[in-house]
Amino acid sequence: MLPQPPIAAQRPHAYTRHGQTIEDPWFWLKDQKYPVIDDPDVLAYLGEENAYFEAAMKPHEALVETLFAEMKARLKEDDASVPQKDGDWLYWWAFRPGGQYRVWYRKPAAGGEEQVLLDEPAEAEGHDYFRLQVLSVSPDGRLAAWSADRSGAERFELRIRDLATGADVETVTTVANGAVAWGNDSRSLVYTEVNDNWRTYRARLHRLGSDPAEDVTVYEETEELGFNVGVGKTQDDRWIVVATGDNQTSEVRLVPADDPGAAPLLVSPRKLKREYSVDSAHGALWILTNDEHVNFRVAKADPAAPGDWETVVAGSDAVYIRGITAFARHLMLVERVEGLDQIRLRAYDGSEHRIAFPEASYTVSPGSNPEYDPPAYRLGYASMVTPQTVYDYDPVARQLTTLKVQDIPSGYDPSLYETERLMVPARDGRSIPVSVLYRKGFPRDGSGKLFLYAYGAYGHAIPPGFSTVRLSLVDRGWAYAIAHIRGGDDLGYDWYLQGKAEQRWNTFRDFSDAARGLIAAGLTQAGRIAINGGSAGGELMGVVANTDPDLWGAVVADVPFVDVLNTMQDESLPLTPGEWPEWGNPITDPAAFDLIRSYSPYDNVEAKAYPPMLITGGLNDPRVTYWEPAKWAARLRATKTDDNLLLLKINMGAGHGGKSGRYDSLREDAEAYAFVLTQVGGA
């Protein structure tokens, strides 16, 4: 017998805005001293919820262990990356058998002994959480800048390591976040820091051996609260790139990599809703921008007149240009055509070709290509049935060479599986792509069980790639589907815009319509669909649990953004101002207030039956704060009319991504799948 679930106390709290009064009786679950979280009532409630989760899952321990063992057996214990040449060295990473984290290596390209650059397991020892963000070797190969987070709070300690001795010789900052860029002298480093609100607000120049307190600020964002600053380097190593922007507007400055202390060169002043990025080759700047077409164009500029842009590749309704890299011999254009990834190589004389791939549906992206003029381009490829594959592409011979295919030690036979791409109708007449994987022989009479995943925000597409984890469902007779709904950029940048801000309801309706389309196709039926999404995808889970509870057999909402109306009005939270372009500003805009209130999952819980639900969060999560899932679970418990299982699990030592080790994160996958299997059936 399960103990009674925890019941969070209701404490009167209300506010009024735009003439509307909002009751928020679980407001107290936000520790008012945040980011310090030490309120004993808050911690006690979270502890009770975690204890209830453990009690509910205890009868299923054997299933969790079975699933975990399956998932672990599909991972190669000593997996390693394909070495990649960068200058005089070959670089790669590898796992030691049983290791949770990678070890990073290099050896001379001309031959010689391998050297350990960074031993993540050693650095993670004694910590519940460890995440390496940066490992960047200086141009002369003697030093490495590296940064790590040991709490999940996304504040990274940036250090400089002497690779000859393996000792860290400097700590640059304890509040880094983002990439770093070395000056060409190997004695200077540009990095970014976060402020008290977790906003990456400035880029600083550190010279080795100097006091970090005296580091020069290269650029600080003071105009826009929602802008974040990032740094990088052009492919030809000529410029250090300092970019600032939010989800719809960007601005780029360039600093000579030979003289990092020089005044930054502004490429073009920011213009609202214009995005652009910059690379460099052959003395010219190569710019990707959406200023003339929603699907972006490629332009060229002289550094002496960086704001004068001449079109090289025009924007197109049919071709969505997602990224460019300026190599010595080609511009590499990363594109999407009718939802399918493409890579186009364009020589500087204007001749071009697309790389041909062997399957009709797949995902492909550039891999690590650190050199300016490599003999071949490294690519990563997969499909829903094809494991992760690493290719080198020879642009002269136009030939792909397979360097590595993901090894699945427990065995995998792709001929046992089928994948298809369905176009299902949305209620407004648009067609939604859905990628589906199942074992051959899967029934098409509506009797099958289906796991449906989506994200649907920030222009982030979920590609039809490969996962060993999902095989634990598919091998039990389930179908696994990805709904490529609006809010992602799967069908072009406008597909993203159609699920953003004022058009946000399209995202939620698309997901439910995708489910109905899969039912119509005979893949499943209402009540036999388990759904999953995380972060903004967790918001999606919350909305469709409110709007269409009868469709779902189980809901798994990971770090869900569900207290949307409150969060978007809380300017003290680190990410809120930067999110207004994505969701709208309910503080100043009554229409945005009404829109967000209409879907905010926490604010729309009703007295009705809900499906079984598993909700997760992280105490140290700065993106979706722990009280969002906690408040939502509390309101659901107090309001819903069913007896279906509702579980809340808060990771007390992790952040947005959950547990950090490769096996620890797998165990969380096993718990989620065990929940789904026991609630929908098929265990």
Side-chain angles (χ1 to χ4, degrees):
M1 284 285 293
L2 261 181
Q4 288 297 309
I7 301 297
Q10 299 188 43
R11 301 178 184 176
H13 179 84
Y15 67 90
T16 300
R17 192 180 295 278
H18 304 307
Q20 301 183 53
T21 298
I22 306 297
E23 301 288 339
D24 188 3
W26 293 277
F27 173 81
W28 66 270
L29 283 170
K30 174 189 175 183
D31 193 319
Q32 298 307 298
K33 296 189 294 297
Y34 181 82
V36 175
I37 307 165
D38 61 5
D39 185 308
D41 290 349
V42 171
L43 294 175
Y45 171 67
L46 298 181
E48 290 169 7
E49 287 285 7
N50 282 342
Y52 184 69
F53 169 84
E54 295 294 339
M57 295 302 294
K58 189 170 182 58
H60 312 304
E61 282 180 344
L63 176 58
V64 172
E65 289 302 321
T66 296
L67 290 164
F68 175 67
E70 290 174 7
M71 295 172 183
K72 186 176 179 182
R74 297 189 194 107
L75 292 186
K76 188 177 180 182
E77 288 271 321
D78 57 349
D79 195 16
S81 65
V82 179
Q84 177 62 294
K85 183 176 177 293
D86 185 5
D88 295 331
W89 299 88
L90 293 171
Y91 293 88
W92 74 99
W93 56 257
F95 286 100
R96 299 188 183 109
Q100 294 260 36
Y101 302 97
R102 294 174 171 87
V103 181
W104 298 79
Y105 299 91
R106 72 174 180 179
K107 66 179 179 181
E113 294 295 316
E114 68 180 37
Q115 174 188 11
V116 174
L117 297 178
L118 189 76
D119 186 332
E120 286 191 52
E123 301 295 343
E125 190 171 350
H127 300 277
D128 292 336
Y129 181 93
F130 179 86
R131 177 184 164 199
L132 178 71
Q133 184 177 55
V134 165
L135 178 60
S136 177
V137 177
S138 60
D140 65 7
R142 296 182 179 183
L143 302 168
W146 70 283
S147 65
D149 171 15
R150 292 178 172 84
S151 72
E154 300 187 34
R155 292 172 183 265
F156 295 82
E157 183 176 56
L158 176 62
R159 298 179 179 179
I160 306 295
R161 176 160 294 187
D162 184 331
L163 295 179
T165 66
D168 292 331
V169 294
E170 294 187 28
T171 297
V172 180
T173 179
T174 59
V175 290
N177 197 344
V180 302
W182 284 97
N184 289 342
D185 61 359
S186 297
R187 304 295 300 170
S188 53
L189 184 77
V190 178
Y191 62 96
T192 51
E193 288 187 319
V194 294
N195 59 15
D196 290 341
N197 286 330
W198 274 278
R199 186 168 61 84
T200 311
Y201 74 111
R202 68 178 180 182
R204 307 192 79 196
L205 171 64
H206 178 69
R207 298 191 185 277
L208 271 66
S210 66
D211 183 351
E214 299 175 358
D215 286 355
V216 174
T217 296
V218 179
Y219 175 75
E220 181 171 340
E221 182 56 58
T222 58
E223 294 183 29
E224 301 289 346
L225 285 176
F227 276 38
N228 283 276
V229 179
V231 302
K233 209 170 183 183
T234 56
Q235 191 69 21
D236 63 1
D237 287 331
R238 180 177 178 183
W239 302 98
I240 293 171
V241 180
V242 180
T244 183
D246 60 11
N247 296 325
Q248 63 178 3
T249 304
S250 56
E251 183 178 76
V252 175
R253 289 167 174 80
L254 301 175
V255 178
D258 287 335
D259 184 13
L265 171 69
L266 176 61
V267 175
S268 182
R270 66 191 65 176
K271 296 179 182 177
L272 183 64
K273 297 187 178 182
R274 182 188 69 171
E275 297 182 63
Y276 72 95
S277 59
V278 181
D279 206 349
S280 171
H282 302 293
L285 303 180
W286 302 90
I287 296 150
L288 179 66
T289 181
N290 64 347
D291 62 347
E292 294 182 359
H293 197 285
V294 68
N295 280 335
F296 290 75
R297 67 175 174 126
V298 179
K300 179 182 179 181
D302 188 324
D308 296 337
W309 298 350
E310 173 191 351
T311 296
V312 175
V313 179
S316 164
D317 292 341
V319 180
Y320 170 35
I321 308 174
R322 300 176 51 240
I324 60 168
T325 305
F327 292 101
R329 289 178 290 165
H330 301 95
L331 282 178
M332 177 184 285
L333 281 67
V334 179
E335 303 174 328
R336 196 170 286 140
V337 179
E338 296 182 347
L340 188 66
D341 291 343
Q342 303 281 359
I343 293 182
R344 182 177 10 166
L345 296 178
R346 188 182 193 280
Y348 292 95
D349 63 5
S351 60
E352 61 181 34
H353 70 277
R354 283 203 174 107
I355 301 175
F357 296 100
E359 293 178 278
S361 178
Y362 59 86
T363 178
V364 67
S365 60
S368 173
N369 290 284
E371 295 192 326
Y372 179 51
D373 189 15
Y377 300 118
R378 184 71 49 87
L379 306 173
Y381 175 95
S383 76
M384 290 192 81
V385 297
T386 301
Q388 298 290 336
T389 303
V390 179
Y391 288 124
D392 264 357
Y393 179 71
D394 181 338
V396 177
R398 299 194 179 184
Q399 182 175 2
L400 289 166
T401 299
T402 302
L403 303 180
K404 177 187 176 183
V405 178
Q406 180 181 358
D407 185 13
I408 303 172
S410 61
Y412 172 72
D413 181 356
S415 69
L416 299 176
Y417 303 87
E418 284 187 277
T419 184
E420 60 179 306
R421 188 177 191 236
L422 304 175
M423 299 298 290
V424 302
R427 65 194 69 181
D428 65 355
R430 300 300 299 269
S431 294
I432 309 158
V434 183
S435 300
V436 188
L437 171 72
Y438 45 78
R439 282 185 77 109
K440 290 180 177 177
F442 183 84
R444 301 299 286 257
D445 59 2
S447 65
K449 300 183 187 73
L450 175 78
F451 190 95
L452 180 61
Y453 178 86
Y455 183 70
Y458 299 107
H460 177 65
I462 303 297
F466 187 78
S467 165
T468 59
V469 170
R470 67 175 68 121
L471 295 176
S472 287
L473 285 180
V474 175
D475 287 346
R476 284 172 170 78
W478 287 60
Y480 187 103
I482 301 169
H484 305 285
I485 55 181
R486 280 174 280 190
D489 66 354
D490 308 65
L491 294 184
Y493 198 77
D494 191 54
W495 195 247
Y496 158 49
L497 297 178
Q498 289 181 45
K500 177 181 178 179
E502 296 87 353
Q503 302 189 75
R504 185 64 181 152
W505 267 106
N506 285 335
T507 298
F508 312 133
R509 291 168 177 151
D510 280 2
F511 186 82
S512 295
D513 290 348
R516 293 187 177 95
L518 295 171
I519 291 170
L523 285 162
T524 190
Q525 59 187 269
R528 297 173 75 84
I529 306 172
I531 60 174
N532 176 224
S535 194
E539 174 197 77
L540 169 66
M541 297 299 101
V543 174
V544 299
N546 284 332
T547 60
D548 298 285
D550 294 340
L551 278 177
W552 323 123
V555 178
V556 179
D558 295 315
V559 291
F561 178 37
V562 284
D563 194 15
V564 188
L565 186 60
N566 281 314
T567 293
M568 287 297 97
Q569 295 178 86
D570 190 345
E571 295 179 81
S572 72
L573 291 177
L575 301 181
T576 290
E579 296 298 308
W580 288 330
E582 190 73 20
W583 312 104
N585 185 346
I587 299 173
T588 60
D589 184 353
F593 184 95
D594 290 341
L595 174 64
I596 294 171
R597 186 181 184 186
S598 76
Y599 66 74
S600 177
Y602 172 69
D603 296 282
N604 286 278
V605 172
E606 296 177 332
K608 62 185 178 185
Y610 283 81
M613 302 177 74
L614 169 60
I615 303 167
T616 69
L619 190 69
N620 299 328
D621 187 348
R623 296 178 182 270
V624 176
T625 47
Y626 75 88
W627 62 82
E628 296 214 20
K631 288 173 64 178
W632 184 40
R635 175 163 268 168
L636 281 164
R637 287 204 195 286
T639 310
K640 70 191 187 81
T641 61
D642 61 86
D643 294 324
N644 289 326
L645 192 61
L646 169 63
L647 299 179
L648 173 66
K649 178 186 178 182
I650 300 292
N651 276 313
M652 303 303 283
H656 197 61
K659 293 185 177 179
S660 54
R662 61 170 174 164
Y663 298 130
D664 288 343
S665 62
L666 273 188
R667 186 170 294 279
E668 295 191 327
D669 291 331
E671 289 174 344
Y673 279 13
F675 176 81
V676 164
L677 289 168
T678 55
Q679 300 306 306
V680 185

